[in-house]
Amino acid sequence: MGRLASCFLDSLAAMQLPAIGYGLRYQYGIFDQEIWNGIQIERPDCWLLNPNPWEFRRDGLSRHVAFRGSIPPSEDPMHHFLALENYEEVRSIAYDYPIIGFPAQDRSFSVVTMRLWSTKESPRNFALQRYNAGELGQAGENTSLTDVLYPNDHHAAGKRIRLKQEFLLVSASLQDIVERHFSRGGGLDTFADKVRIQINDTHPALVIPELIRLLMIKGASLDHAFAITKTSASYTNHTILKEALEEWNEERMMDLLPRQYRMIQHINMQFCKEVRASFGENTEKAQAMSIIGEGQIKMAHLLLYGTHKINGVAKLHGTILKEEVFNDFFQLYPDKFCHVTNGVSHRKWLLQANPLLADFITERIGSSWIHDFSQIIELKRFAKCPKAKSAFAAIKKKNKQRLIQWLREKSPIRDGKGAVIGTIDPLGEEALFDIQVKRIHEYKRQMLNLLHAARLYLDIKKERKSPPIKRMILIAGKAAPGYQLAKEIIHFARILSHKINNDPEVNQHLRLAFIESYNVSKTLFLIPAADLSSQISLVGREASGTGNMKMAMNGALTIGTEDGANEEMRWAVGDEYWPFRFGMNVEEVQAKKTSGYSPSAIYQNNPIIREVLDFMVSDALTDHPAEKQCMEHLRKNLLEGEVESAPDPYYNLQDFSAFYETQKRVEMLYQDQDKWNEYAIMQIASMGFFTSDRSIQEYVDHIWDTKACPIDPDVLQKLQRDISPANKPHGPI
Ligand SMILES: *Cc1c(COP(=O)(O)O)cnc(C)c1O
């Protein structure tokens, strides 16, 4: 989500749209990952150690945010939403980062601001009285509010500090937005016309009660303030995984944010009235849809009622929101629902990440694709051109060599104490580079990839002959620190890679590597070198995916399920050039769910799978007790399940055979390099739709109704004169 927001800021700036991106200035961002003898170790990422010349501290833009306190008794019910006494005040300071838009063809360009809040630099946030009373931890709580990012991916944190962070972001940013509007002569009557607030997942859901409160302070009635809020705000949903949908405990909300809690109660009463008016006295419906229920506040429900538009991030995801996850809400407010398929910045992921390929494209179709990525379709003319194909092959080879060198020099393998005992030694560039890089999660099914790698290993051992192609499997990604099973999947990857890479009968044909600490810098080595992009999530779970788009833009072929944006990529590329689709579709998963899924029956009946599952726990893989325990647990998860969960909840075994057969077709096509390169060029040429420029244009057209706002050339010229060294009385700075 953070990377997606970065691509969106890049596009907003390049398209000269008026926008600000708000966030928190964490001292420690997502952790750095080290793998100590197969175990993930989290290390702090100290990205602020060195001064950042692009960061501008704005002391004039300090905002005060109130937590806790009590609501004084009053006859006027409106006071319950506004008045507060004995509260904690937290001061946040803004840091601005200019996001410089790629220049337009007339060389004009625009700059968008990313504004991040920090509570670190306000000494008054330190609660000296608490410190003196010996409450050392609590004394620094507000000073350290923006210290650490919660690294959970697709899993809600449910922590008090997290709620404080979310409200800090919301309140400081909304105060900023409201003050800017009013200080420039705007009023309540123009707010809804002038201001659009895109709520990125449920984390800033408190925008709804807080914006109502701030507008009431400006003189709006509650109903008017709510109407303005609904018109200004819209909500992007990023996931349907239940464990990721945020809910906050009522008592916690009441304690930390008493006024916002009362406002949510009020909103919920109004909402339940609307539900009853539409569905009659259907109490089951009202209970299911209620914003507050069983002591929990459902943040997605608050947003579904409190905004005018909710969007999914791919077509399939939008459909699932309407037909399944939020079907009740869809029946009530059908016009609120839409989807905007995600995109990625082709300037970041092609022009910057792969300069050789960018030149290859420009030499053939000119440079207008950089401004208008729909032009990339012109490249189709070269898909069957022998010269273009061999030029493309040479570029892919260079990118693979660059990755190989980087792996040999920079990708450590560590022992159980963290000491570097070697580096990854990959196969040469003639091998198929089969890449799966993304956060580690059961739904993304790195497990399926590993089961396949184990199967290839057994095949080579059994047949004692060379497989049709050489294959270098690369996996990378971080696991949420508390997500035990994800960490065990990483452990499995390292156990298996140790086996495969050290077996002289196998390691000339097949190698497997798990690369430490996947992040954006590393994508720049990995993505341009990919031949095969693994996008193998269980259908219905990956809302969109963006790694799929990045790799296809760089000429990788996708092996993928019919999930997220994969399907839209297939429509763009065309079935003929999308040969590696596999696995159950949404209906088949649904049918399996109802008819009952038995992975142990698959194990009994299918020797291909049985051998792999038995290999997992055999001494042939490992005889180390801790490693064996990990493998036994993973196998148990697939065949028997846990106390609270069914066996193989992500259907790895169900989809295995289709995956294995499809990988055989990958091997066939890869043997025909000429054909493979034709397919690869077709992928690049078909990615025009998947630029974030197009996504942003759809937000403009369907949700925001905003206009580009280019810089006035006269104003710019005057500015340039003013800052030119010649006009400085003391000469150049
Ligand atoms: C694009 C990107 C992702 C998202 O990848 P998916 O395959 O869509 O999950 C994750 N991490 C980094 C560093 C990325 O650049």
Side-chain angles (χ1 to χ4, degrees):
M1 258 180 64
R3 182 56 236 178
L4 180 73
S6 299
C7 285
F8 281 6
L9 287 177
D10 177 273
S11 288
L12 285 162
M15 295 160 79
Q16 312 202 353
L17 286 156
I20 297 190
Y22 286 103
L24 297 180
R25 183 181 178 270
Y26 294 110
Q27 295 281 304
Y28 303 104
I30 181 75
F31 62 87
D32 283 339
Q33 178 195 53
E34 288 184 1
I35 308 293
W36 292 12
N37 196 22
I39 311 289
Q40 169 175 296
I41 302 291
E42 299 95 25
R43 291 210 162 275
D45 157 38
C46 312
W47 73 295
L48 294 174
L49 274 185
N50 300 312
N52 176 354
W54 293 105
E55 172 181 84
F56 298 91
R57 178 168 153 169
R58 304 289 304 272
D59 287 286
L61 288 180
S62 168
R63 299 287 173 197
H64 299 188
V65 177
F67 292 100
R68 295 213 169 84
S70 52
I71 297 171
S74 163
E75 299 285 292
D76 180 356
M78 290 307 130
H79 264 266
H80 296 160
F81 305 127
L82 302 178
L84 192 68
E85 46 187 33
N86 301 321
Y87 50 85
E88 277 172 24
E89 188 173 75
V90 180
R91 293 175 183 218
S92 57
I93 289 180
Y95 284 79
D96 283 354
Y97 305 73
I99 309 298
I100 295 144
F102 196 84
Q105 259 151 332
D106 66 4
R107 304 190 60 207
S108 72
F109 69 93
S110 179
V111 178
V112 152
T113 297
M114 177 169 78
R115 179 162 291 170
L116 306 186
W117 302 105
S118 171
T119 57
K120 202 81 198 150
E121 287 72 18
S122 279
R124 275 185 251 184
N125 286 343
F126 191 71
L128 189 60
Q129 287 178 355
R130 289 199 147 165
Y131 185 82
N132 290 338
E135 299 168 16
L136 271 56
Q138 288 182 13
E141 177 170 303
N142 289 334
T143 319
S144 58
L145 213 49
T146 54
D147 273 6
V148 191
L149 165 80
Y150 282 88
N152 291 342
D153 182 72
H154 295 289
H155 203 287
K159 296 266 166 64
R160 188 169 50 88
I161 300 293
R162 171 77 185 179
L163 181 57
K164 280 183 121 174
Q165 287 182 341
E166 291 184 354
F167 186 66
L168 180 87
L169 167 66
V170 162
S171 186
S173 308
L174 287 178
Q175 289 177 46
D176 204 55
I177 291 167
V178 170
E179 284 315 314
R180 187 178 321 102
H181 178 73
F182 281 89
S183 71
R184 293 179 183 181
L188 289 170
D189 53 332
T190 52
F191 192 92
D193 271 345
K194 294 282 185 190
V195 180
R196 292 286 173 269
I197 299 166
Q198 192 64 37
I199 298 174
N200 202 14
D201 216 340
T202 57
H203 317 144
L206 290 166
V207 157
I208 307 305
E210 183 65 353
L211 182 55
I212 296 174
R213 186 182 76 84
L214 293 172
L215 292 170
M216 286 172 74
I217 292 171
K218 291 289 180 191
S221 69
L222 199 160
D223 286 347
H224 188 201
F226 193 20
I228 295 172
T229 298
K230 261 190 195 168
T231 309
S232 291
S234 32
Y235 158 49
T236 304
N237 173 282
H238 287 272
T239 179
I240 61 160
L241 297 178
K242 277 190 200 64
E243 61 270 33
L245 287 177
E246 282 189 306
E247 292 184 1
W248 289 106
N249 182 277
E250 259 188 291
E251 275 165 30
R252 172 155 287 164
M253 187 77 78
M254 208 179 335
D255 173 48
L256 273 183
L257 299 164
R259 292 174 299 180
Q260 289 73 22
Y261 173 67
R262 292 246 179 132
M263 183 72 77
I264 294 170
Q265 278 187 315
H266 175 86
I267 291 169
N268 193 39
M269 269 177 7
Q270 201 172 312
F271 173 58
C272 290
K273 243 187 248 167
E274 277 187 38
V275 172
R276 280 194 292 271
S278 297
F279 294 118
E281 292 300 321
N282 181 344
T283 47
E284 226 169 82
K285 201 85 157 181
Q287 262 173 20
M289 296 176 75
S290 178
I291 296 164
I292 306 175
E294 291 166 5
Q296 296 287 107
I297 305 173
K298 296 170 186 162
M299 304 314 271
H301 292 198
L302 175 62
L303 290 169
L304 287 159
Y305 183 52
T307 64
H308 77 286
K309 271 270 156 41
I310 158 184
N311 75 282
V313 291
K315 191 163 199 291
L316 174 70
H317 176 227
T319 306
I320 292 173
L321 291 180
K322 287 195 276 197
E323 293 179 0
E324 289 172 40
V325 188
F326 300 132
N327 182 255
D328 294 339
F329 287 85
F330 177 59
Q331 288 178 34
L332 203 52
Y333 313 114
D335 298 336
K336 282 195 185 186
F337 285 75
C338 64
H339 76 269
V340 177
T341 299
N342 281 162
V344 299
S345 167
H346 61 281
R347 290 172 291 270
K348 173 80 184 174
W349 300 107
L350 220 176
L351 187 59
Q352 188 197 21
N354 199 341
L356 296 174
L357 188 59
D359 287 345
F360 165 93
I361 296 166
T362 299
E363 276 163 29
R364 285 166 180 80
I365 66 169
S367 63
S368 60
W369 64 272
I370 298 169
H371 297 97
D372 171 8
F373 198 50
S374 67
Q375 300 286 322
I376 196 72
I377 193 112
E378 295 298 323
L379 201 64
K380 277 194 182 171
R381 288 188 280 122
F382 297 90
K384 288 183 198 270
C385 160
K387 262 170 81 182
K389 280 191 277 192
S390 67
F392 170 81
I395 290 167
K396 185 60 84 181
K397 183 172 161 186
K398 279 212 177 103
N399 287 329
K400 283 157 84 169
Q401 285 166 337
R402 196 170 74 113
L403 173 61
I404 290 165
Q405 196 180 347
W406 176 81
L407 288 169
R408 286 192 181 136
E409 288 168 8
K410 296 277 171 63
S411 64
I413 296 174
R414 297 171 199 274
D415 68 12
K417 292 190 172 127
V420 178
I421 52 169
T423 58
I424 292 172
D425 183 18
L427 284 170
E429 71 274 358
E430 70 286 357
L432 173 89
F433 275 47
D434 168 351
I435 301 192
Q436 187 181 29
V437 285
K438 48 187 72 242
R439 290 297 291 262
I440 309 295
H441 204 295
E442 287 164 272
Y443 87 83
K444 290 177 182 280
R445 298 204 293 194
Q446 282 90 0
M447 176 59 85
L448 184 54
N449 203 355
L450 293 172
L451 294 174
H452 177 249
R455 183 66 254 173
L456 292 181
Y457 172 81
L458 294 176
D459 287 348
I460 297 171
K461 293 299 275 185
K462 200 153 117 186
E463 289 166 24
R464 293 185 173 279
K465 65 173 203 279
S466 301
I469 65 165
K470 296 185 181 197
R471 188 193 289 256
M472 180 69 231
I473 304 173
L474 293 158
I475 302 177
K478 294 171 185 176
Y483 191 172
Q484 209 45 50
L485 202 62
K487 289 182 155 179
E488 287 178 358
I489 291 169
I490 294 174
H491 201 173
F492 179 20
R494 276 294 170 102
I495 294 166
L496 185 60
S497 62
H498 189 261
K499 184 81 213 169
I500 292 174
N501 301 348
N502 289 298
D503 188 324
E505 283 179 355
V506 175
N507 65 16
Q508 294 314 302
H509 311 292
L510 174 71
R511 288 187 200 179
L512 166 66
F514 186 93
I515 303 159
E516 220 175 63
S517 216
Y518 180 55
N519 61 24
V520 172
S521 312
K522 293 183 184 175
T523 62
L524 301 182
F525 289 96
L526 285 158
I527 287 176
D531 292 309
L532 186 68
S533 155
S534 273
Q535 308 298 338
I536 58 180
S537 54
L538 174 63
V539 142
R541 304 306 169 98
E542 188 75 89
S544 163
T546 50
N548 46 3
M549 304 166 189
K550 296 169 195 168
M551 286 206 254
M553 260 179 208
N554 283 276
L557 275 64
T558 304
I559 182 162
T561 48
E562 297 179 18
D563 203 15
N566 293 355
E567 272 298 90
E568 288 163 80
M569 289 168 61
R570 173 169 72 90
W571 299 331
V573 177
D575 277 324
E576 184 192 349
Y577 286 102
W578 190 266
F580 308 136
R581 174 164 62 122
F582 78 97
M584 290 185 287
N585 61 29
V586 177
E587 291 80 36
E588 285 163 340
V589 172
Q590 208 54 50
K592 265 272 162 278
K593 256 185 211 155
T594 36
S595 72
Y597 170 50
S598 169
S600 46
I602 296 176
Y603 172 84
Q604 294 299 337
N605 299 329
N606 187 332
I608 305 267
I609 293 176
R610 188 167 59 242
E611 282 171 20
V612 174
L613 286 162
D614 290 347
F615 174 61
M616 282 173 77
V617 294
S618 71
D619 283 356
L621 178 61
T622 174
D623 56 7
H624 185 284
E627 294 182 351
K628 259 202 136 54
Q629 200 186 354
C630 167
M631 295 312 303
E632 271 159 15
H633 184 243
L634 287 172
R635 183 180 129 120
K636 181 162 180 269
N637 182 274
L638 292 174
L639 289 177
E640 295 161 41
E642 313 277 336
V643 187
E644 290 277 304
S645 93
D648 191 19
Y650 294 89
Y651 299 87
N652 288 287
L653 301 193
Q654 180 63 35
D655 273 343
F656 181 87
S657 297
F659 186 54
Y660 184 50
E661 292 311 315
T662 308
Q663 289 281 16
K664 287 200 187 302
R665 287 193 280 117
V666 170
E667 290 167 5
M668 296 260 290
L669 189 65
Y670 194 71
Q671 289 173 78
D672 185 347
Q673 278 294 299
D674 202 49
K675 262 266 166 302
W676 185 278
N677 291 324
E678 175 186 333
Y679 278 59
I681 293 171
M682 286 299 289
Q683 311 297 308
I684 305 165
S686 307
M687 284 301 112
F689 185 77
F690 299 95
T691 167
S692 45
D693 291 358
R694 188 271 316 150
S695 307
I696 290 298
Q697 191 60 49
E698 289 187 15
Y699 278 97
V700 165
D701 293 342
H702 304 310
I703 301 177
W704 301 334
D705 192 25
T706 44
K707 286 198 178 57
C709 194
I711 296 173
D712 182 333
D714 296 338
V715 174
L716 188 62
Q717 225 171 30
K718 184 178 172 313
L719 265 174
Q720 278 166 343
R721 265 202 311 274
D722 288 353
I723 61 167
S724 105
N727 288 335
K728 290 269 175 260
H730 307 296
I733 303 165

